[in-house]
Amino acid sequence: MEEVNWNSTYKKDNIRLLRRHLALTQKEFIQTFLTSDDGTPSMCVATFSNLESKGGNRTSEVVLAVAEKLQIDPVLFSMAPAKFADRLHTVLPNTQDAVDIAQSPAKAGNIDRLLYRLTMYFSEQLFDKRLKKGDKIESDRILAEKLGVGRSAIREALKVLDVLGMIDIRPGQGTFISNDEADFFIIPLSWSLFLNGSQIENILMVRNLLEKKAAELTAHAADEECMEKLHDISTRIHDAYLRSDYQSFLNCDLEFHLCIAAGSGNPVIHSMIQTIGNLMKHVSGTGMADQEQLKEIHQEHRLIYGAILSRDAEAAGEFMEEHLQKSMKRYNYR
């Protein structure tokens, strides 16, 4: 496999390479890629010229705007310039078609694209060490200006990111990058599930595969602390079942799955399962219909826990898969 050297300092050079590839002056480049819907440019020629030669904090802003309009991966701009120049001929159509694509009007109210832009914007800043977990982000007014959209659209998108656990909106204080593990690296999964109902079944299929594997890994290698926590959760699930305490049961149900995911020892699996769990809680509400379902889930959990307790990885995976398939039918996802 060909080795690729990635470095964020290459962005300014690659912006210049792209502009020259498209045979655009700096003014034409701004008009093509860096203007809002009403035709207002987001930066002047002098600022752009300085960015091309020296880089700066607004380099990522340009990269994201260009990548969105040309429908290419913004990560490409972090390739070594020689590699980037070679790749241009394969990732872009001919020059005139590329400019036509960039100049075509964006669909109004396209919240999923805005979410992608926002998360990529924050991810770029995290990678470049200009943001870290717990930092306060820019105001919705500044974000709206940078992304060329209305403040109301920004606010709605930020609410979605707050639901996903990626940011923390604190009334009266501002908005902050979450202190938890950054979920920005699984964004395509997150926002497609939240916004596109047609993707729910596909995402749940991925969730099922991950949870099955997590159960197998936990049964095989979970440490004593994880096993004690799983025992505590299972006890509380049983108590909630006996009391027919739906809300406590549901809370423990989520804890049960997250504990198994954490016990897998794979932080990516844990992060993805956590995100999907947050999303499904938002989509499905309680997800519970009656006492009979409470009984079914309780019995399925006992089988999973028993297999993990006996360190039977194969059985744990099979019981988890069966539980999730039944859950999809219970929640009317298929």
Side-chain angles (χ1 to χ4, degrees):
M1 182 179 292
E2 182 183 24
E3 184 177 350
V4 178
N5 184 18
W6 305 93
N7 194 316
S8 62
T9 61
Y10 296 144
K11 292 174 187 175
K12 64 180 179 61
D13 301 315
N14 291 332
I15 289 171
R16 183 170 58 249
L17 281 172
L18 174 64
R19 180 177 63 78
R20 291 174 177 172
H21 175 80
L22 298 176
L24 297 174
T25 66
Q26 292 180 337
K27 182 177 180 180
E28 290 169 338
F29 190 90
I30 292 170
Q31 291 173 338
T32 302
F33 295 103
L34 305 174
T35 56
S36 59
D37 292 341
D38 63 4
T40 303
S42 62
M43 67 176 59
C44 64
V45 173
T47 299
F48 181 78
S49 179
N50 187 62
L51 182 147
E52 272 196 338
S53 62
K54 299 179 181 180
N57 291 339
R58 300 191 68 184
T59 306
S60 294
E61 177 187 339
V62 175
V63 167
L64 291 172
V66 171
E68 185 199 13
K69 289 198 173 185
L70 292 181
Q71 300 173 30
I72 61 176
D73 191 338
V75 174
L76 292 176
F77 285 84
S78 295
M79 298 177 71
K83 297 292 184 184
F84 180 79
D86 290 339
R87 191 68 65 89
L88 280 176
H89 298 286
T90 59
V91 300
L92 287 183
N94 65 61
T95 300
Q96 187 54 52
D97 285 347
V99 173
D100 288 344
I101 291 171
Q103 292 178 335
S104 62
K107 293 180 180 179
N110 200 344
I111 188 70
D112 56 339
R113 294 300 303 168
L114 178 55
L115 277 174
Y116 179 79
R117 292 177 66 191
L118 272 175
T119 52
M120 286 304 300
Y121 175 72
F122 294 140
S123 295
E124 289 276 346
Q125 292 192 318
L126 286 165
F127 277 125
D128 291 344
K129 308 298 183 184
R130 287 183 284 114
L131 269 183
K132 61 182 183 297
K133 290 188 291 184
D135 279 357
K136 186 175 182 178
I137 66 175
E138 295 151 310
S139 68
D140 54 15
R141 178 183 61 79
I142 293 175
L143 289 172
E145 290 175 355
K146 286 189 173 183
L147 299 182
V149 298
R151 292 177 68 179
S152 60
I154 290 290
R155 291 191 194 103
E156 290 304 310
L158 290 176
K159 288 177 184 177
V160 174
L161 297 186
D162 182 54
V163 169
L164 300 182
M166 298 166 201
I167 62 173
D168 182 16
I169 298 176
R170 304 174 193 170
Q173 298 181 52
T175 302
F176 301 78
I177 296 293
S178 174
N179 278 311
D180 297 329
E181 270 307 308
D183 289 326
F184 288 94
F185 314 109
I186 53 172
I187 294 308
L189 172 69
S190 304
W191 54 256
S192 64
L193 172 58
F194 184 85
L195 294 163
N196 190 343
S198 66
Q199 292 296 317
I200 289 179
E201 187 169 331
N202 292 333
I203 298 300
L204 285 176
M205 183 183 297
V206 174
R207 191 276 309 267
N208 291 1
L209 292 172
L210 290 172
E211 292 227 37
K212 178 183 179 182
K213 188 62 179 178
E216 293 171 353
L217 291 171
T218 300
H220 179 70
D223 58 26
E224 194 63 32
E225 182 181 354
C226 174
M227 296 299 286
E228 288 179 2
K229 184 175 181 181
L230 197 58
H231 172 73
D232 173 66
I233 295 169
S234 298
T235 299
R236 286 189 282 119
I237 286 177
H238 182 67
D239 290 342
Y241 166 68
L242 293 178
R243 292 183 284 106
S244 296
D245 185 340
Y246 285 75
Q247 191 56 56
S248 294
F249 187 94
L250 288 172
N251 292 338
C252 291
D253 173 67
L254 181 58
E255 280 190 68
F256 180 78
H257 285 271
L258 290 179
C259 182
I260 293 173
S264 72
N266 187 314
V268 175
I269 289 179
H270 177 252
S271 182
M272 293 180 74
I273 290 175
Q274 184 175 38
T275 298
I276 295 174
N278 289 339
L279 290 164
M280 294 317 302
K281 184 167 60 174
H282 181 85
V283 171
S284 64
T286 65
M288 194 72 68
D290 53 38
Q291 180 68 23
E292 183 59 31
Q293 289 187 351
L294 202 71
K295 179 180 179 181
E296 290 174 1
I297 294 172
H298 177 247
Q299 291 173 340
E300 291 160 17
H301 279 189
R302 287 172 64 97
L303 290 173
I304 297 167
Y305 174 59
I308 292 175
L309 191 63
S310 62
R311 300 291 184 175
D312 188 339
E314 183 178 356
E318 289 176 355
F319 287 140
M320 178 65 81
E321 181 178 29
E322 182 179 352
H323 166 59
L324 294 169
Q325 289 295 337
K326 290 180 178 179
S327 293
M328 289 178 72
K329 294 178 182 178
R330 277 191 288 263
Y331 299 163
N332 298 316
Y333 291 135
R334 64 167 25 181

